[in-house]
C-alpha cells in the first residue's frame, strides 16, 4: 500500500525560529515525486516545495528546505526564520503509481 | 491566470438529495483531479481527467458518484442519494500537460458539503 505518515499532528514555533516537520512514506515504486503542500486556514492549498526521488540533492525554496532520505523513505520539511504567515496545515504527499497520496497533515502555529 | 475555481463554496443538503459541484481549471491545463478531504484527514484521490477522458477512478468513488469533463474544459462531480458520510470538502486541482506523477497540481478553494 502507498501511505504517507506525518507523526506530528500539531506543532508550534516562535516567530523567527526554525522548525522541522517530519514525513515518512511507504512504496515499492522506485521513481516518484514528493511534495509539501500548505493549507492556510480557510484558504486553498498551495505548493511549498517538491523533490524528485531520483535526485540526491535536497530541494530548497527560500526559507523552505527538505531533508530527503530515500533509503529511509523520509522527507522532512525545514522552515527557517518562521513567519506568522506560515501558520497553516502542512501536508506531505507523493505520486507513486497514482495521483497524489497525502498524509494527514501537521498543524503548524507560528507564535509572535 | 485566474487559478482554479469551484462552485459552490458551500452546500448544505438533506440526506437522499442529489448534489452537483463544478470546477473550472486553469485555462491551459489539460489534467483535472478531484479529491475528498474529511475533517482531520489529508485529501484522498477520487478521479482524474486528461482532457475529456476520465483515466482513473479510486475505489472511494462509489456508483453514487459520477464525474464528467465535457469538451475537456470545466468538470462536474455529482453525488446521487447523498449520505451523511459524504460530508466533506471536495477539492479540485489541475495541472499542465505532462505526467501526473511529475506535474505540480494547483488546487481550488474546495466545496464544503454538509449532509443533514
Amino acid at each position: 500500500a502507498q501511505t504517507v505518515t506525518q507523526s506530528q499532528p500539531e506543532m508550534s514555533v516562535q516567530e523567527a525560529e526554525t522548525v522541522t516537520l517530519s514525513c515518512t512514506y511507504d512504496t515499492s515504486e522506485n521513481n516518484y515525486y514528493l511534495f509539501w503542500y500548505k493549507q492556510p486556514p480557510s484558504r486553498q492549498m498551495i505548493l511549498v516545495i517538491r523533490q524528485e526521488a531520483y535526485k540526491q540533492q535536497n530541494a530548497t525554496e527560500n526559507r523552505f528546505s527538505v531533508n530527503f532520505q530515500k533509503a529511509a523513505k523520509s522527507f522532512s520539511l525545514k522552515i527557517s526564520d518562521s513567519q506568522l504567515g506560515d501558520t497553516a496545515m502542512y501536508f506531505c504527499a507523493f505520486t507513486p503509481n497514482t495521483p497524489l497520496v497525502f498524509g494527514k497533515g501537521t498543524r503548524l502555529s507560528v507564535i509572535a | 491566470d485566474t487559478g482554479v475555481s469551484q462552485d459552490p463554496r458551500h452546500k448544505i443538503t438533506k440526506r437522499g438529495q442529489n448534489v452537483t459541484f463544478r470546477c473550472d481549471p486553469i485555462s491551459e491545463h489539460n489534467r483535472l483531479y478531484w479529491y475528498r478531504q474529511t475533517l482531520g484527514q489529508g485529501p484522498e484521490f477520487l478521479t482524474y481527467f486528461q482532457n475529456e477522458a476520465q483515466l482513473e477512478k479510486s475505489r472511494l468513488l462509489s456508483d453514487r458518484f459520477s464525474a464528467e469533463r465535457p469538451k475537456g474544459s470545466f468538470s462536474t462531480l455529482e453525488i446521487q442519494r447523498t449520505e451523511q458520510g459524504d460530508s466533506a470538502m471536495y477539492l479540485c486541482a489541475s495541472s499542465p500537460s505532462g505526467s501526473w506523477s511529475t506535474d505540480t497540481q494547483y488546487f481550488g478553494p474546495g466545496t464544503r458539503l454538509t449532509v443533514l
Side-chain angles (χ1 to χ4, degrees), chain A residues 49 60-65 78 80:
Chain A
I49 196 165
T60 62
E61 285 288 341
N62 301 314
R63 298 182 295 108
F64 299 88
S65 62
K78 185 172 80 170
S80 304

Side-chain angles (χ1 to χ4, degrees), chain A residues 52-88:
Chain A
E52 300 167 31
Y54 63 86
K55 284 190 176 180
Q56 291 187 329
Q57 185 173 4
N58 289 324
T60 62
E61 285 288 341
N62 301 314
R63 298 182 295 108
F64 299 88
S65 62
V66 299
N67 182 3
F68 174 48
Q69 303 289 331
K70 189 173 183 179
K73 296 180 182 174
S74 171
F75 183 59
S76 62
L77 174 70
K78 185 172 80 170
I79 306 174
S80 304
D81 185 26
S82 296
Q83 300 175 0
L84 295 177
D86 295 334
T87 293

Side-chain angles (χ1 to χ4, degrees), chain A residues 4 6 23 32-38 46-52 66 75 77 90-96 99-103, chain B residues 99-105:
Chain A
V4 176
Q6 294 181 248
C23 171
Y32 44 86
Y33 279 65
L34 299 127
F35 304 82
W36 278 97
Y37 278 89
K38 167 185 176 182
I46 57 173
L47 178 71
V48 175
I49 196 165
R50 53 181 274 163
Q51 171 82 40
E52 300 167 31
V66 299
F75 183 59
L77 174 70
Y90 286 81
F91 292 98
C92 177
F94 77 128
T95 53
L100 285 175
V101 177
F102 283 87
Chain B
S99 167
W100 52 255
S101 66
T102 62
D103 278 357
T104 293
Q105 294 182 28

Side-chain angles (χ1 to χ4, degrees), chain A residues 9-25:
Chain A
E10 294 189 24
M11 294 189 72
S12 61
V13 62
Q14 291 289 131
E15 199 175 5
E17 296 295 307
T18 295
V19 64
T20 298
L21 280 56
S22 66
C23 171
T24 57
Y25 59 93

